[in-house]
Amino acid sequence: MMKNFLDAVRGNPKLAAGALALIAVQGLLQARIDPLRRQPAVEPPSVIKSTGGLPFEYSLAAISGFRQVIAGLLWVRADSFFHSGNYDAILPLLRLITWLDPNWLDVYATGAWHLMYNFTDTDQRSDRRYLPVGLALLNEGIAANSTVFDLYKEKGWNLFDKVKDYPLAADAYKAGRDADPNHDINQIEHLLAHCVERSGDPEGAIAAWADAMRRHKVIWDAAKGVAGKEDIESRNRQGYNNASKNFRIMKVRSYCRPRDIARLGPVEASLGVKVTRIRPRVLRVEGSWNLVGCLKDQYDDLSFDDKGDPKSATISSGIVMDGPVDGARIDVRLQNAGYVMPDSQNFSFEVSDDLTIMQDSLSSRGGRRTLKGTPYQFNPGGAGDQNLERAGIYSYKDQASAPKGISAAQALASGQISPAGQLQLVTFIFPPQTRQKKFYTLADLPGLLSELKSDPARMAQLETKKILVATEDKLLLSEFGKNRDLDMSKDPKMYGFKTDLYDLIVSFSPRSAPDFVQDRLGWNGEGLKDKRYLRSDVKLGQQMLYLKLKLTKEDINGTDKKVLFDDSAGVGLDKLQK
């Protein structure tokens, strides 16, 4: 169409002059009609660098007042690239669309998600070079739409979920709350409370939940019984109930966790790490540690009032049983030496080819702890039993790893089972939920033990299930990274390894751990210790496990299999960095 128009005016000077006059008049009118045209965000400073300039047809469309139309057509095209997996083709379209229509919130949100989640390597690890790029795109969108909460919410979520910078995520949600009086409380203030908790500030999280409850109540009351506002009333009633539940949980945790840690003492993590180059650009990071948590959710049954305050000053501690658990992860990060994620104020799609960042998480599994006088199961090849797990009775699958022991019947008859072991045994045989309880206490033991000993079928069940009682202490550490290779050889564009030195960081932060691990270790690692790798200077206000190794390009690219670091064998200790 544009080509036909140009051909027509080329041979008719009067038509050309008239068309130019109309365009000039239209441009003047459009400047008055469309106040967004003069917003700085319509043409950010980086646009020429990012796009190389707009094609003539798009520039003319923008001048002529059809910016949103062209942006819509480009977005349809970008969506087709999304579905076909042609992600590289989307980037310039995103740049054009946000230039043409800086108030299209979904484009900023979707573009940032694409940059921070969809660029991955062969093993689906995100390309973390694009994290500051995605944040910069959101910052640009926020600058152009500073009075609506949506992009603040997107920024907060990406910082929470992907970057795991909880204080910065909280700042983003606070900014969205303050910028938009009509923000969605569920999307802004509920997530704000979670971010504050993950920042290691339980009292701040309690205050955030209380504020969310107050705001929900105001809207709920105003909409109650008003025709046409039933959805508003329902949504805020549900939001209030959810905030109230989380408020109570936080009050309980804030009360119980410090007392449990003081009573049970800190956990010696005994972290051990081994790093092996399997082949060029393929590393294996493996090791073991003493990962201890709360064996089940034991806080909900405690006696607290509606405000989450303890009803009795003599309330018992929340944790009845603790021990090794599965579920927490060890983080591994390999990056250019000294790399710090840059400020994300200036937007550009460009990332340095010289920069290499790989991050992964390794699951911890297989920990076992059985104390003398407590039960365990010796069951080679057998399936797990949920009731055993709830009672903290661990299964051992081979004789070498299992503790020495005697039959449960013999231990009961001879008194070789401890009170803690008795509690575990009756918890297994008589699951508390079948007695309308969450867990038993020592006060329940006499009656339950008498019932067990007088029931031949129950006693036979102990034999059938191969339940023994340990005559020695036994501890097996949780393992991570075993037989798990971190392969960076298939993605040379993402992992260029063009510089000489790299940092390999192995870490564990309690703030990112599951609740049942935090119950034992605390929000900020108060219940954590380690002889070698406990650090309190890495992230403000918390103790965490952290070791950083300095690797060379040759360490990573070497052709033969080689152990680069093994703290148990004293290999590569010179690579440890402060």
Side-chain angles (χ1 to χ4, degrees), residues 469-487:
V469 173
T471 56
E472 63 175 357
D473 292 343
K474 192 73 174 186
L475 173 65
L476 298 180
L477 298 178
S478 299
E479 295 182 328
F480 59 88
K482 192 173 182 180
N483 300 321
R484 167 82 183 280
D485 292 344
L486 303 175
D487 190 345

Side-chain angles (χ1 to χ4, degrees), residues 54 65 118 135 153 245-246 290 310 469 484 496 526 534 540 558 570:
L54 287 173
N118 279 353
L135 291 173
K153 174 198 71 175
K245 176 183 177 182
N246 279 282
N290 187 27
V469 173
R484 167 82 183 280
E526 306 94 320
L534 187 68
L540 184 65

Side-chain angles (χ1 to χ4, degrees), residues 380-397:
D385 187 309
Q386 192 174 40
N387 288 331
L388 280 173
E389 294 171 5
R390 287 175 176 168
I393 299 176
Y394 294 101
S395 292
Y396 296 84
K397 297 188 180 300

Side-chain angles (χ1 to χ4, degrees), residues 217-235:
K217 192 69 166 57
V218 169
I219 300 173
W220 174 12
D221 287 343
K224 193 180 298 181
V226 179
K229 293 190 175 182
E230 292 84 1
D231 287 347
I232 295 175
E233 178 188 351
S234 175
R235 180 171 175 78

Side-chain angles (χ1 to χ4, degrees), residues 21-331:
L22 287 173
I23 290 173
V25 171
Q26 193 277 336
L28 291 172
L29 289 173
Q30 186 64 32
R32 300 175 67 87
I33 294 170
D34 184 4
L36 300 177
R37 185 174 180 271
R38 294 190 179 275
Q39 282 192 3
V42 170
E43 189 172 359
S46 59
V47 68
I48 301 301
K49 182 178 181 181
S50 299
T51 67
L54 287 173
F56 173 73
E57 292 87 346
Y58 293 142
S59 298
L60 184 61
I63 294 171
S64 303
F66 293 102
R67 292 185 293 107
Q68 286 81 0
V69 174
I70 297 300
L73 294 173
L74 290 173
W75 189 237
V76 171
R77 183 60 172 156
D79 188 61
S80 69
F81 288 142
F82 269 121
H83 292 295
S84 65
N86 188 5
Y87 296 144
D88 287 334
I90 300 170
L91 298 183
L93 293 180
L94 287 174
R95 177 71 285 173
L96 292 173
I97 296 165
T98 55
W99 189 91
L100 291 166
D101 187 356
N103 302 111
W104 196 345
L105 303 180
D106 284 347
V107 176
Y108 288 108
T110 306
W113 162 75
H114 168 63
L115 288 163
M116 301 177 78
Y117 286 85
N118 279 353
F119 281 10
T120 61
D121 65 10
T122 305
D123 293 322
Q124 301 305 305
R125 288 184 288 257
S126 295
D127 190 340
R128 293 181 176 267
R129 298 175 301 171
Y130 281 95
L131 295 189
V133 179
L135 291 173
L137 181 61
L138 289 173
N139 285 335
E140 184 180 293
I142 288 171
N145 304 275
S146 59
T147 61
V148 291
F149 73 89
D150 300 67
L151 296 181
Y152 296 98
K153 174 198 71 175
E154 296 295 333
K155 180 180 177 181
W157 174 251
N158 287 327
L159 285 166
F160 178 90
D161 182 62
K162 201 66 177 180
V163 183
K164 299 193 184 303
D165 190 325
Y166 305 118
L168 277 183
D171 288 344
Y173 284 115
K174 288 176 185 175
R177 175 197 63 189
D178 297 341
D180 187 352
N182 298 313
H183 63 267
D184 187 309
I185 300 171
N186 291 292
Q187 296 186 58
I188 291 290
E189 300 203 41
H190 287 217
L191 270 298
L192 169 60
H194 286 300
C195 289
V196 173
E197 179 189 357
R198 290 279 178 165
S199 298
D201 181 9
E203 295 307 315
I206 290 170
W209 284 119
D211 188 56
M213 291 164 61
R214 179 186 62 80
R215 292 173 186 262
H216 277 303
K217 192 69 166 57
V218 169
I219 300 173
W220 174 12
D221 287 343
K224 193 180 298 181
V226 179
K229 293 190 175 182
E230 292 84 1
D231 287 347
I232 295 175
E233 178 188 351
S234 175
R235 180 171 175 78
N236 281 278
R237 183 177 65 251
Q238 292 175 10
Y240 177 90
N241 292 336
N242 183 50
S244 177
K245 176 183 177 182
N246 279 282
F247 172 82
R248 179 187 176 278
I249 290 172
M250 282 302 305
K251 291 283 282 188
V252 171
R253 289 175 180 166
S254 180
Y255 180 86
C256 289
R257 283 181 177 176
R259 287 163 174 77
D260 283 327
I261 292 169
R263 177 176 64 88
L264 298 170
V267 174
E268 172 58 57
S270 300
L271 178 64
V273 177
K274 180 180 179 181
V275 179
T276 306
R277 181 183 67 223
I278 304 300
R279 56 185 183 276
R281 301 191 180 192
V282 180
L283 300 180
R284 182 177 298 166
V285 179
E286 58 191 324
S288 61
W289 63 312
N290 187 27
L291 171 59
V292 172
C294 179
L295 289 177
K296 58 181 179 177
D297 186 2
Q298 298 173 46
Y299 286 171
D300 286 348
D301 259 13
L302 298 183
S303 182
F304 284 78
D305 62 23
D306 292 339
K307 295 181 179 180
D309 294 321
K311 287 183 177 178
S312 169
T314 59
I315 188 170
S316 63
S317 178
I319 293 181
V320 176
M321 289 182 285
D322 68 336
V325 292
D326 295 341
R329 294 174 178 270
I330 293 286
D331 292 322

Side-chain angles (χ1 to χ4, degrees), residues 354-366:
D354 293 338
L355 179 59
T356 291
I357 307 173
M358 184 283 302
Q359 184 163 319
D360 209 333
S361 295
L362 307 175
S363 297
S364 296
R365 300 191 177 280

